[in-house]
Amino acid sequence: MDRILEIRERIKAVYSRYSMYADMVLRFLLALFTFITINGNIGFHKQLSSPLAAIALSVVCALLPMNFTVLIAVFLTLFQLIQVSMEAAAVAAVLMLIMYIFYFRFAPKNGYMVLLTPVAFTLNIPYVIPLGFGLSGGPLNIVPMSCGVVLYYVLHYVKVYSSTLNDADGGFATDRLSLLLDNIFRNPEMLLVLLAFVVTLTVVYIIRRMSVDHAWKLAIGCGAVLDMAILFIGDFALDIETSFLGLIAGTIISALAALVLEFFLFSVDYTRAEKVQFEDDEYYYYVKAVPKVSIAQPEKKIQKINTKKEEPKEAASQQANVIVSIEDALHRTAPAEQTGEGEAASEEESAAGPEEDIDGDEEELRYLEQIIKEKQEEFLNRENHNNE
Amino acid sequence: MKIMTRLASYDSGEGREEQKTIRYNRKDYVSFHVLATAIWVTVGYIAAVCLILFLHMEYFTSHMNGAKLIVLAVIVIVGYAALLALYIRIAGRVYRGRYSKAKENARLYYMDLRRLNRLYEKERPQAGVSAEPEGEQ
């Protein structure tokens, strides 16, 4: 366990050191998977659907803030939809406008959440979305998650019925529009997935906020089982063709991914949990304190192999320092010869008489001898210390 | 170094937007955004109603009469009023919060600036003293 915690700390340290580049890589990957999802479903424009175009756009998105990725994904989706059906593009545009007006104007930083849901569907692990959003956020995450689900099913529907939508002889535009809306919003599979995801996210959020031991693991377990149960029963009841093996495998992988998320976001030691109770004038407090699991980074030991070679240099530099300091002392004690003020002082001294001048010289010499002795002793002490 | 990093981070990040925000009076800022929200909500509501109308086009064309049309119009108007009231409330709260946050961040920013200025002033006389002898020599 310590080893895993150590790896976690190292990952965190590496991320914090290279966060700028790590964020760019993450933005690139999200953009790439988003464009692959869009092109995989509605890639009707040949040039724009090529992998090279997706990579080029992803590189651009990696260098720009996250909201530009969302914006480019929106424009790419609309452009691809225009190729197959103007009505489909209009419906998608109106849906995106409604999503923007009613949610993303107030939470522009959550735009990436809409992209994550279709990407998770493409990777066959959509069940990770309610688990992850429930663990990392609050019930408001239901809105971007639901928007993502609706957008994915719009893309999916256009992919499946592209030939019908592209048919110019398929009746009036209003009929095609009505048919399109009918098939999107009355799609039982989409409504079932929406229901399952909303219930799962809510349950995961409620359980992980409880003060029971291992609340996060319990939330992941309950959420995964509940999600699977709702989809399982719903598929039977509504007679929807689905792969149950895929559902089970997807749920297990999603639960494992959620456990990884828990490891990074919420790592506590329940064995050292403490329950304390205290009161003030107005309330009684029942507090459960659970310590976070943390591990100190191992310190790097640097062993110097060639220390002996440096000794002569050190000794020489110390000797040079002593000489320099003696010279400094000499300059400090005999400023009269160098500065203008000193010249004036020496004139005063010469005017005072020869006896006083001799006395002053003797004092200076004694002072210099004392400083030289001190410096020599200091140097010898240092050398002795180094030899020891 | 820490102060300078914090200042640079603020200048190049959220600071730009927040400096624009605090140029306004609090009341003007909130009122402007609430008004913008009301307009956006109106546009969004019309779009959503159109989508629903298209979705139930068949039903409306075959079952609609004068009385039902009036009931439908009342439902649409009441729905609009309720939604507008809800969003005005939400927008008021959100933009008041944003303004307060911008003001607080700006206060911390100017505090850091003053602290940095004091550090510079402390260093300046010392630098002057150390530079004098070199100049004389």
Side-chain angles (χ1 to χ4, degrees), chain A residues 90-91 94-95 97-98 100-109 173-174 177-186 339, chain B residues 14 33 36-38 40-41 43-45 47-48 50-52 54-58 83 87 90-91 94-95 98 101:
Chain A
V91 168
V94 170
L95 278 176
L97 185 72
I98 290 171
Y100 168 74
I101 289 170
F102 291 112
Y103 181 72
F104 293 105
R105 273 193 77 237
F106 300 103
K109 286 177 184 171
T174 47
L177 198 61
S178 188
L179 179 80
L180 182 73
L181 287 169
D182 203 42
N183 280 301
I184 291 170
F185 289 104
R186 289 188 181 140
T339 60
Chain B
E14 288 178 344
H33 282 284
T37 302
W40 274 113
V41 166
V43 172
Y45 189 75
C50 288
L51 268 186
I52 294 166
F54 268 112
L55 188 62
H56 300 282
M57 180 76 90
E58 213 171 292
L83 195 73
Y87 267 87
I90 291 171
V94 167
Y95 289 106
R98 275 189 199 171
K101 194 186 156 199

CSV table of all heavy atoms in Angstrom, one decimal, chain A residues 90-91 94-95 97-98 100-109 173-174 177-186 339, chain B residues 14 33 36-38 40-41 43-45 47-48 50-52 54-58 83 87 90-91 94-95 98 101:
chain,number,residue,atom,x,y,z
A,90,ALA,N,-30.2,22.2,-37.8
A,90,ALA,CA,-31.0,23.2,-37.1
A,90,ALA,C,-31.4,22.7,-35.7
A,90,ALA,O,-31.4,23.5,-34.8
A,90,ALA,CB,-32.3,23.6,-38.0
A,91,VAL,N,-31.9,21.5,-35.7
A,91,VAL,CA,-32.3,20.9,-34.4
A,91,VAL,C,-31.1,20.9,-33.4
A,91,VAL,O,-31.2,21.3,-32.2
A,91,VAL,CB,-32.8,19.5,-34.6
A,91,VAL,CG1,-33.0,18.7,-33.2
A,91,VAL,CG2,-34.2,19.5,-35.3
A,94,VAL,N,-30.3,24.4,-32.2
A,94,VAL,CA,-31.3,24.9,-31.2
A,94,VAL,C,-31.1,24.2,-29.9
A,94,VAL,O,-31.1,24.9,-28.8
A,94,VAL,CB,-32.8,24.7,-31.7
A,94,VAL,CG1,-33.8,24.9,-30.6
A,94,VAL,CG2,-33.1,25.6,-32.9
A,95,LEU,N,-30.8,22.9,-29.9
A,95,LEU,CA,-30.5,22.2,-28.7
A,95,LEU,C,-29.3,22.8,-27.9
A,95,LEU,O,-29.3,23.0,-26.7
A,95,LEU,CB,-30.3,20.7,-29.0
A,95,LEU,CG,-31.5,19.8,-29.1
A,95,LEU,CD1,-31.1,18.4,-29.5
A,95,LEU,CD2,-32.3,19.8,-27.8
A,97,LEU,N,-28.1,25.8,-28.3
A,97,LEU,CA,-28.4,27.1,-27.8
A,97,LEU,C,-29.2,27.1,-26.5
A,97,LEU,O,-28.8,27.8,-25.6
A,97,LEU,CB,-29.2,27.8,-28.9
A,97,LEU,CG,-29.6,29.3,-28.6
A,97,LEU,CD1,-28.3,30.2,-28.8
A,97,LEU,CD2,-30.7,29.8,-29.5
A,98,ILE,N,-30.1,26.2,-26.4
A,98,ILE,CA,-30.9,26.0,-25.2
A,98,ILE,C,-30.0,25.6,-24.0
A,98,ILE,O,-30.1,26.1,-22.9
A,98,ILE,CB,-32.0,25.0,-25.4
A,98,ILE,CG1,-33.1,25.6,-26.3
A,98,ILE,CG2,-32.7,24.6,-24.1
A,98,ILE,CD1,-34.2,24.6,-26.8
A,100,TYR,N,-26.8,26.2,-23.8
A,100,TYR,CA,-26.0,27.3,-23.4
A,100,TYR,C,-26.7,28.3,-22.6
A,100,TYR,O,-26.2,28.8,-21.5
A,100,TYR,CB,-25.4,28.0,-24.7
A,100,TYR,CG,-24.8,29.3,-24.4
A,100,TYR,CD1,-23.5,29.4,-23.8
A,100,TYR,CD2,-25.4,30.5,-24.8
A,100,TYR,CE1,-22.9,30.6,-23.6
A,100,TYR,CE2,-24.8,31.7,-24.5
A,100,TYR,CZ,-23.6,31.8,-23.9
A,100,TYR,OH,-23.0,33.0,-23.6
A,101,ILE,N,-27.9,28.6,-23.0
A,101,ILE,CA,-28.7,29.7,-22.3
A,101,ILE,C,-29.0,29.3,-20.9
A,101,ILE,O,-28.9,30.1,-20.0
A,101,ILE,CB,-30.0,30.0,-23.1
A,101,ILE,CG1,-29.6,30.8,-24.4
A,101,ILE,CG2,-30.9,30.9,-22.3
A,101,ILE,CD1,-30.8,30.9,-25.4
A,102,PHE,N,-29.5,28.0,-20.8
A,102,PHE,CA,-30.0,27.7,-19.5
A,102,PHE,C,-29.0,27.1,-18.5
A,102,PHE,O,-29.3,26.9,-17.3
A,102,PHE,CB,-31.2,26.7,-19.6
A,102,PHE,CG,-32.4,27.3,-20.2
A,102,PHE,CD1,-32.8,27.0,-21.5
A,102,PHE,CD2,-33.1,28.3,-19.5
A,102,PHE,CE1,-34.0,27.6,-22.0
A,102,PHE,CE2,-34.2,28.9,-20.0
A,102,PHE,CZ,-34.6,28.6,-21.3
A,103,TYR,N,-27.8,26.8,-19.0
A,103,TYR,CA,-26.8,26.2,-18.0
A,103,TYR,C,-25.4,26.8,-18.2
A,103,TYR,O,-24.9,27.4,-17.3
A,103,TYR,CB,-26.8,24.7,-18.1
A,103,TYR,CG,-25.8,24.1,-17.1
A,103,TYR,CD1,-26.1,24.1,-15.7
A,103,TYR,CD2,-24.5,23.6,-17.5
A,103,TYR,CE1,-25.2,23.6,-14.8
A,103,TYR,CE2,-23.6,23.1,-16.6
A,103,TYR,CZ,-23.9,23.2,-15.3
A,103,TYR,OH,-23.0,22.7,-14.3
A,104,PHE,N,-24.9,26.8,-19.4
A,104,PHE,CA,-23.5,27.0,-19.6
A,104,PHE,C,-23.1,28.5,-19.5
A,104,PHE,O,-22.0,28.9,-19.4
A,104,PHE,CB,-22.9,26.4,-20.9
A,104,PHE,CG,-23.0,24.9,-20.8
A,104,PHE,CD1,-23.9,24.2,-21.5
A,104,PHE,CD2,-22.1,24.2,-20.0
A,104,PHE,CE1,-24.0,22.8,-21.3
A,104,PHE,CE2,-22.1,22.9,-19.9
A,104,PHE,CZ,-23.1,22.1,-20.5
A,105,ARG,N,-24.1,29.4,-19.6
A,105,ARG,CA,-23.9,30.8,-19.4
A,105,ARG,C,-23.4,31.0,-17.9
A,105,ARG,O,-22.7,31.9,-17.6
A,105,ARG,CB,-25.1,31.7,-19.6
A,105,ARG,CG,-25.3,32.1,-21.1
A,105,ARG,CD,-26.4,33.1,-21.2
A,105,ARG,NE,-25.9,34.4,-20.8
A,105,ARG,CZ,-26.4,35.2,-19.9
A,105,ARG,NH1,-27.5,34.8,-19.2
A,105,ARG,NH2,-25.9,36.3,-19.6
A,106,PHE,N,-24.0,30.2,-17.0
A,106,PHE,CA,-23.7,30.4,-15.6
A,106,PHE,C,-22.5,29.5,-15.2
A,106,PHE,O,-21.9,29.8,-14.1
A,106,PHE,CB,-24.9,30.0,-14.7
A,106,PHE,CG,-26.1,30.9,-15.1
A,106,PHE,CD1,-27.1,30.4,-15.8
A,106,PHE,CD2,-26.1,32.2,-14.6
A,106,PHE,CE1,-28.2,31.2,-16.1
A,106,PHE,CE2,-27.2,33.0,-14.9
A,106,PHE,CZ,-28.2,32.5,-15.7
A,107,ALA,N,-22.2,28.5,-15.9
A,107,ALA,CA,-21.1,27.6,-15.5
A,107,ALA,C,-20.2,27.3,-16.8
A,107,ALA,O,-20.2,26.1,-17.2
A,107,ALA,CB,-21.6,26.3,-14.9
A,108,PRO,N,-19.6,28.3,-17.3
A,108,PRO,CA,-18.8,28.1,-18.6
A,108,PRO,C,-17.7,27.1,-18.4
A,108,PRO,O,-17.2,26.5,-19.4
A,108,PRO,CB,-18.3,29.5,-18.9
A,108,PRO,CG,-18.4,30.3,-17.7
A,108,PRO,CD,-19.5,29.7,-16.8
A,109,LYS,N,-17.2,26.9,-17.2
A,109,LYS,CA,-16.1,26.0,-17.0
A,109,LYS,C,-16.4,24.6,-17.1
A,109,LYS,O,-15.6,23.7,-17.1
A,109,LYS,CB,-15.4,26.3,-15.6
A,109,LYS,CG,-14.6,27.6,-15.6
A,109,LYS,CD,-14.0,27.9,-14.3
A,109,LYS,CE,-13.3,29.2,-14.3
A,109,LYS,NZ,-12.9,29.7,-13.0
A,173,ALA,N,-39.9,19.7,-45.5
A,173,ALA,CA,-38.8,19.9,-44.4
A,173,ALA,C,-39.5,19.8,-43.0
A,173,ALA,O,-38.8,19.2,-42.1
A,173,ALA,CB,-38.2,21.2,-44.6
A,174,THR,N,-40.7,20.3,-42.9
A,174,THR,CA,-41.3,20.3,-41.6
A,174,THR,C,-41.6,18.8,-41.1
A,174,THR,O,-41.5,18.5,-40.0
A,174,THR,CB,-42.7,21.1,-41.6
A,174,THR,OG1,-43.4,20.7,-42.7
A,174,THR,CG2,-42.4,22.6,-41.6
A,177,LEU,N,-38.4,17.3,-40.1
A,177,LEU,CA,-38.0,17.9,-38.8
A,177,LEU,C,-38.8,17.2,-37.7
A,177,LEU,O,-38.3,16.9,-36.6
A,177,LEU,CB,-38.3,19.4,-38.8
A,177,LEU,CG,-37.7,20.2,-37.8
A,177,LEU,CD1,-36.2,20.2,-37.9
A,177,LEU,CD2,-38.2,21.7,-37.9
A,178,SER,N,-40.1,17.1,-37.9
A,178,SER,CA,-41.0,16.4,-36.9
A,178,SER,C,-40.6,15.0,-36.7
A,178,SER,O,-40.5,14.5,-35.5
A,178,SER,CB,-42.4,16.5,-37.5
A,178,SER,OG,-43.3,16.0,-36.5
A,179,LEU,N,-40.2,14.3,-37.8
A,179,LEU,CA,-39.8,12.9,-37.6
A,179,LEU,C,-38.5,12.8,-36.8
A,179,LEU,O,-38.3,12.0,-36.0
A,179,LEU,CB,-39.6,12.3,-39.1
A,179,LEU,CG,-39.1,10.9,-39.1
A,179,LEU,CD1,-40.2,9.9,-38.9
A,179,LEU,CD2,-38.4,10.6,-40.5
A,180,LEU,N,-37.6,13.7,-37.2
A,180,LEU,CA,-36.3,13.8,-36.5
A,180,LEU,C,-36.5,14.0,-35.0
A,180,LEU,O,-35.9,13.2,-34.1
A,180,LEU,CB,-35.5,14.9,-37.1
A,180,LEU,CG,-34.0,15.1,-36.6
A,180,LEU,CD1,-33.1,14.0,-37.1
A,180,LEU,CD2,-33.5,16.5,-37.0
A,181,LEU,N,-37.3,15.0,-34.6
A,181,LEU,CA,-37.5,15.3,-33.2
A,181,LEU,C,-38.2,14.2,-32.5
A,181,LEU,O,-37.9,13.8,-31.4
A,181,LEU,CB,-38.3,16.6,-33.1
A,181,LEU,CG,-37.6,17.9,-33.4
A,181,LEU,CD1,-38.6,19.0,-33.5
A,181,LEU,CD2,-36.6,18.2,-32.4
A,182,ASP,N,-39.1,13.6,-33.2
A,182,ASP,CA,-39.9,12.4,-32.6
A,182,ASP,C,-38.9,11.3,-32.3
A,182,ASP,O,-39.0,10.7,-31.2
A,182,ASP,CB,-40.9,12.0,-33.7
A,182,ASP,CG,-42.1,11.3,-33.0
A,182,ASP,OD1,-42.5,11.7,-31.9
A,182,ASP,OD2,-42.5,10.2,-33.5
A,183,ASN,N,-38.0,11.0,-33.3
A,183,ASN,CA,-37.1,9.9,-33.0
A,183,ASN,C,-36.1,10.2,-32.0
A,183,ASN,O,-35.6,9.3,-31.3
A,183,ASN,CB,-36.5,9.5,-34.4
A,183,ASN,CG,-37.4,8.7,-35.2
A,183,ASN,OD1,-37.8,7.6,-34.8
A,183,ASN,ND2,-37.7,9.2,-36.4
A,184,ILE,N,-35.7,11.4,-31.9
A,184,ILE,CA,-34.7,11.8,-30.9
A,184,ILE,C,-35.3,11.8,-29.5
A,184,ILE,O,-34.8,11.1,-28.6
A,184,ILE,CB,-34.0,13.2,-31.2
A,184,ILE,CG1,-33.2,13.1,-32.4
A,184,ILE,CG2,-33.2,13.6,-30.0
A,184,ILE,CD1,-32.7,14.4,-33.0
A,185,PHE,N,-36.4,12.6,-29.3
A,185,PHE,CA,-36.9,12.7,-28.0
A,185,PHE,C,-37.8,11.6,-27.5
A,185,PHE,O,-38.1,11.6,-26.3
A,185,PHE,CB,-37.6,14.1,-27.9
A,185,PHE,CG,-36.6,15.2,-27.9
A,185,PHE,CD1,-36.5,16.0,-29.0
A,185,PHE,CD2,-35.8,15.5,-26.8
A,185,PHE,CE1,-35.5,17.0,-29.1
A,185,PHE,CE2,-34.9,16.5,-26.9
A,185,PHE,CZ,-34.7,17.3,-28.0
A,186,ARG,N,-38.3,10.8,-28.4
A,186,ARG,CA,-39.1,9.7,-27.9
A,186,ARG,C,-38.3,8.4,-28.1
A,186,ARG,O,-38.9,7.3,-28.1
A,186,ARG,CB,-40.4,9.6,-28.8
A,186,ARG,CG,-41.3,10.7,-28.3
A,186,ARG,CD,-42.6,10.6,-29.0
A,186,ARG,NE,-43.5,11.7,-28.6
A,186,ARG,CZ,-44.3,12.3,-29.4
A,186,ARG,NH1,-44.4,11.9,-30.6
A,186,ARG,NH2,-45.1,13.3,-29.0
A,339,THR,N,42.1,58.7,0.8
A,339,THR,CA,40.9,59.6,0.5
A,339,THR,C,41.3,61.1,0.8
A,339,THR,O,42.2,61.4,1.5
A,339,THR,CB,39.8,59.2,1.4
A,339,THR,OG1,40.2,59.3,2.8
A,339,THR,CG2,39.3,57.8,1.2
B,14,GLU,N,-7.5,35.2,-14.4
B,14,GLU,CA,-8.8,35.7,-14.1
B,14,GLU,C,-8.8,37.2,-13.9
B,14,GLU,O,-9.8,37.9,-14.0
B,14,GLU,CB,-9.3,35.0,-12.8
B,14,GLU,CG,-9.7,33.6,-13.0
B,14,GLU,CD,-10.2,33.0,-11.7
B,14,GLU,OE1,-9.9,33.6,-10.7
B,14,GLU,OE2,-10.8,31.9,-11.8
B,33,HIS,N,-26.4,42.3,-16.1
B,33,HIS,CA,-26.3,40.9,-16.3
B,33,HIS,C,-27.7,40.2,-16.1
B,33,HIS,O,-28.0,39.2,-16.8
B,33,HIS,CB,-25.3,40.2,-15.5
B,33,HIS,CG,-23.9,40.4,-16.1
B,33,HIS,ND1,-23.4,39.8,-17.2
B,33,HIS,CD2,-22.9,41.3,-15.8
B,33,HIS,CE1,-22.2,40.2,-17.5
B,33,HIS,NE2,-21.9,41.1,-16.7
B,36,ALA,N,-29.5,41.0,-19.3
B,36,ALA,CA,-29.0,40.1,-20.3
B,36,ALA,C,-29.6,38.7,-20.2
B,36,ALA,O,-30.0,38.0,-21.2
B,36,ALA,CB,-27.5,40.1,-20.3
B,37,THR,N,-29.6,38.2,-19.0
B,37,THR,CA,-30.2,36.9,-18.7
B,37,THR,C,-31.6,36.8,-19.1
B,37,THR,O,-32.1,35.8,-19.7
B,37,THR,CB,-30.0,36.5,-17.2
B,37,THR,OG1,-28.6,36.6,-16.9
B,37,THR,CG2,-30.5,35.1,-16.9
B,38,ALA,N,-32.4,37.8,-18.8
B,38,ALA,CA,-33.8,37.8,-19.1
B,38,ALA,C,-34.0,37.7,-20.6
B,38,ALA,O,-34.9,37.0,-21.1
B,38,ALA,CB,-34.5,39.1,-18.6
B,40,TRP,N,-31.8,36.5,-22.8
B,40,TRP,CA,-31.4,35.1,-23.2
B,40,TRP,C,-32.4,34.1,-22.9
B,40,TRP,O,-32.7,33.2,-23.7
B,40,TRP,CB,-30.1,34.8,-22.5
B,40,TRP,CG,-28.8,35.2,-23.3
B,40,TRP,CD1,-27.9,36.2,-22.8
B,40,TRP,CD2,-28.4,34.8,-24.5
B,40,TRP,NE1,-26.9,36.4,-23.7
B,40,TRP,CE2,-27.2,35.5,-24.8
B,40,TRP,CE3,-28.8,33.9,-25.5
B,40,TRP,CZ2,-26.4,35.4,-26.0
B,40,TRP,CZ3,-28.1,33.7,-26.7
B,40,TRP,CH2,-26.9,34.5,-26.9
B,41,VAL,N,-33.0,34.2,-21.7
B,41,VAL,CA,-34.0,33.2,-21.3
B,41,VAL,C,-35.2,33.3,-22.2
B,41,VAL,O,-35.8,32.3,-22.6
B,41,VAL,CB,-34.4,33.4,-19.8
B,41,VAL,CG1,-35.7,32.6,-19.5
B,41,VAL,CG2,-33.3,33.0,-18.9
B,43,VAL,N,-35.2,34.2,-25.4
B,43,VAL,CA,-34.8,33.5,-26.6
B,43,VAL,C,-34.8,32.0,-26.5
B,43,VAL,O,-35.4,31.3,-27.3
B,43,VAL,CB,-33.4,34.0,-27.1
B,43,VAL,CG1,-32.9,33.2,-28.3
B,43,VAL,CG2,-33.4,35.5,-27.4
B,44,GLY,N,-34.3,31.5,-25.4
B,44,GLY,CA,-34.2,30.1,-25.1
B,44,GLY,C,-35.6,29.5,-25.0
B,44,GLY,O,-35.8,28.4,-25.5
B,45,TYR,N,-36.4,30.2,-24.3
B,45,TYR,CA,-37.8,29.7,-24.1
B,45,TYR,C,-38.6,29.6,-25.4
B,45,TYR,O,-39.2,28.6,-25.7
B,45,TYR,CB,-38.5,30.6,-23.1
B,45,TYR,CG,-39.9,30.1,-22.7
B,45,TYR,CD1,-39.9,29.1,-21.7
B,45,TYR,CD2,-41.1,30.6,-23.2
B,45,TYR,CE1,-41.1,28.5,-21.3
B,45,TYR,CE2,-42.3,30.0,-22.7
B,45,TYR,CZ,-42.3,29.0,-21.8
B,45,TYR,OH,-43.5,28.5,-21.4
B,47,ALA,N,-37.2,29.2,-28.3
B,47,ALA,CA,-36.6,28.0,-29.1
B,47,ALA,C,-37.2,26.7,-28.5
B,47,ALA,O,-37.5,25.8,-29.3
B,47,ALA,CB,-35.1,28.1,-28.9
B,48,ALA,N,-37.3,26.6,-27.2
B,48,ALA,CA,-37.7,25.4,-26.6
B,48,ALA,C,-39.2,25.1,-27.0
B,48,ALA,O,-39.6,24.0,-27.3
B,48,ALA,CB,-37.6,25.4,-25.1
B,50,CYS,N,-40.8,26.2,-29.6
B,50,CYS,CA,-40.8,25.9,-31.0
B,50,CYS,C,-40.5,24.4,-31.2
B,50,CYS,O,-41.2,23.7,-32.0
B,50,CYS,CB,-39.9,26.7,-31.8
B,50,CYS,SG,-40.4,28.4,-32.0
B,51,LEU,N,-39.5,23.9,-30.5
B,51,LEU,CA,-39.1,22.5,-30.6
B,51,LEU,C,-40.3,21.6,-30.1
B,51,LEU,O,-40.6,20.6,-30.8
B,51,LEU,CB,-37.9,22.2,-29.7
B,51,LEU,CG,-36.5,22.3,-30.3
B,51,LEU,CD1,-35.4,21.9,-29.3
B,51,LEU,CD2,-36.4,21.5,-31.6
B,52,ILE,N,-40.9,22.0,-29.0
B,52,ILE,CA,-42.0,21.2,-28.5
B,52,ILE,C,-43.2,21.2,-29.5
B,52,ILE,O,-43.8,20.2,-29.7
B,52,ILE,CB,-42.4,21.7,-27.1
B,52,ILE,CG1,-41.3,21.4,-26.1
B,52,ILE,CG2,-43.7,21.0,-26.6
B,52,ILE,CD1,-41.4,22.1,-24.8
B,54,PHE,N,-43.0,21.6,-32.7
B,54,PHE,CA,-42.7,20.7,-33.8
B,54,PHE,C,-42.8,19.2,-33.5
B,54,PHE,O,-43.2,18.4,-34.2
B,54,PHE,CB,-41.3,21.0,-34.3
B,54,PHE,CG,-41.2,22.0,-35.4
B,54,PHE,CD1,-40.7,23.2,-35.2
B,54,PHE,CD2,-41.7,21.7,-36.7
B,54,PHE,CE1,-40.6,24.2,-36.2
B,54,PHE,CE2,-41.7,22.6,-37.7
B,54,PHE,CZ,-41.2,23.9,-37.5
B,55,LEU,N,-42.4,18.9,-32.2
B,55,LEU,CA,-42.4,17.6,-31.7
B,55,LEU,C,-43.9,17.0,-31.7
B,55,LEU,O,-44.1,15.9,-32.0
B,55,LEU,CB,-41.8,17.5,-30.3
B,55,LEU,CG,-41.6,16.1,-29.7
B,55,LEU,CD1,-40.6,15.3,-30.5
B,55,LEU,CD2,-41.0,16.3,-28.3
B,56,HIS,N,-44.8,17.9,-31.3
B,56,HIS,CA,-46.2,17.5,-31.2
B,56,HIS,C,-47.1,18.1,-32.3
B,56,HIS,O,-48.3,18.3,-32.2
B,56,HIS,CB,-46.8,17.9,-29.9
B,56,HIS,CG,-46.1,17.3,-28.7
B,56,HIS,ND1,-46.3,16.0,-28.3
B,56,HIS,CD2,-45.1,17.8,-27.9
B,56,HIS,CE1,-45.5,15.7,-27.3
B,56,HIS,NE2,-44.8,16.8,-27.0
B,57,MET,N,-46.4,18.4,-33.4
B,57,MET,CA,-47.1,19.0,-34.6
B,57,MET,C,-48.4,18.3,-35.0
B,57,MET,O,-49.4,18.9,-35.2
B,57,MET,CB,-46.1,19.1,-35.8
B,57,MET,CG,-46.7,19.7,-37.0
B,57,MET,SD,-46.7,21.5,-36.8
B,57,MET,CE,-45.1,21.8,-37.4
B,58,GLU,N,-48.3,17.0,-35.1
B,58,GLU,CA,-49.4,16.2,-35.5
B,58,GLU,C,-50.6,16.3,-34.6
B,58,GLU,O,-51.7,16.5,-35.0
B,58,GLU,CB,-49.0,14.7,-35.6
B,58,GLU,CG,-49.7,13.9,-36.7
B,58,GLU,CD,-49.1,12.5,-36.8
B,58,GLU,OE1,-47.9,12.4,-37.2
B,58,GLU,OE2,-49.7,11.6,-36.4
B,83,LEU,N,-40.3,30.6,-15.3
B,83,LEU,CA,-38.9,30.4,-15.7
B,83,LEU,C,-38.1,31.7,-15.6
B,83,LEU,O,-36.9,31.7,-15.1
B,83,LEU,CB,-38.8,29.8,-17.1
B,83,LEU,CG,-37.5,29.2,-17.5
B,83,LEU,CD1,-37.3,27.9,-16.9
B,83,LEU,CD2,-37.5,29.0,-19.0
B,87,TYR,N,-34.9,32.3,-13.2
B,87,TYR,CA,-33.5,32.7,-13.8
B,87,TYR,C,-33.1,34.0,-13.4
B,87,TYR,O,-31.9,34.2,-13.2
B,87,TYR,CB,-33.5,32.5,-15.3
B,87,TYR,CG,-33.1,31.1,-15.7
B,87,TYR,CD1,-33.9,30.1,-15.7
B,87,TYR,CD2,-31.7,30.8,-15.8
B,87,TYR,CE1,-33.5,28.8,-16.0
B,87,TYR,CE2,-31.3,29.6,-16.1
B,87,TYR,CZ,-32.2,28.5,-16.2
B,87,TYR,OH,-31.7,27.3,-16.4
B,90,ILE,N,-31.7,33.4,-10.0
B,90,ILE,CA,-30.4,32.7,-10.1
B,90,ILE,C,-29.3,33.6,-10.6
B,90,ILE,O,-28.2,33.7,-10.0
B,90,ILE,CB,-30.5,31.5,-11.1
B,90,ILE,CG1,-31.4,30.4,-10.5
B,90,ILE,CG2,-29.1,30.9,-11.4
B,90,ILE,CD1,-31.7,29.2,-11.4
B,91,ALA,N,-29.6,34.4,-11.6
B,91,ALA,CA,-28.6,35.3,-12.2
B,91,ALA,C,-28.2,36.4,-11.2
B,91,ALA,O,-27.0,36.7,-11.1
B,91,ALA,CB,-29.2,36.0,-13.4
B,94,VAL,N,-25.8,34.6,-8.8
B,94,VAL,CA,-24.6,34.3,-9.5
B,94,VAL,C,-23.7,35.6,-9.7
B,94,VAL,O,-22.5,35.6,-9.3
B,94,VAL,CB,-24.8,33.6,-10.8
B,94,VAL,CG1,-23.5,33.5,-11.6
B,94,VAL,CG2,-25.4,32.2,-10.6
B,95,TYR,N,-24.3,36.6,-10.3
B,95,TYR,CA,-23.5,37.8,-10.6
B,95,TYR,C,-23.1,38.6,-9.4
B,95,TYR,O,-22.1,39.2,-9.4
B,95,TYR,CB,-24.2,38.6,-11.7
B,95,TYR,CG,-24.2,37.9,-13.0
B,95,TYR,CD1,-25.3,37.3,-13.5
B,95,TYR,CD2,-23.0,37.8,-13.7
B,95,TYR,CE1,-25.3,36.6,-14.7
B,95,TYR,CE2,-22.9,37.1,-14.9
B,95,TYR,CZ,-24.1,36.5,-15.4
B,95,TYR,OH,-24.0,35.8,-16.6
B,98,ARG,N,-20.1,36.7,-8.2
B,98,ARG,CA,-19.0,37.0,-9.1
B,98,ARG,C,-18.4,38.4,-8.8
B,98,ARG,O,-17.2,38.5,-8.8
B,98,ARG,CB,-19.4,36.9,-10.6
B,98,ARG,CG,-19.4,35.5,-11.1
B,98,ARG,CD,-19.6,35.5,-12.6
B,98,ARG,NE,-20.0,34.1,-13.0
B,98,ARG,CZ,-20.4,33.8,-14.1
B,98,ARG,NH1,-20.4,34.7,-15.1
B,98,ARG,NH2,-20.7,32.6,-14.4
B,101,LYS,N,-16.5,38.3,-5.5
B,101,LYS,CA,-15.3,37.5,-5.6
B,101,LYS,C,-14.2,38.4,-6.4
B,101,LYS,O,-13.0,38.4,-6.0
B,101,LYS,CB,-15.5,36.2,-6.4
B,101,LYS,CG,-14.4,35.2,-6.4
B,101,LYS,CD,-14.7,34.1,-7.3
B,101,LYS,CE,-13.4,33.4,-7.7
B,101,LYS,NZ,-13.6,32.6,-8.9
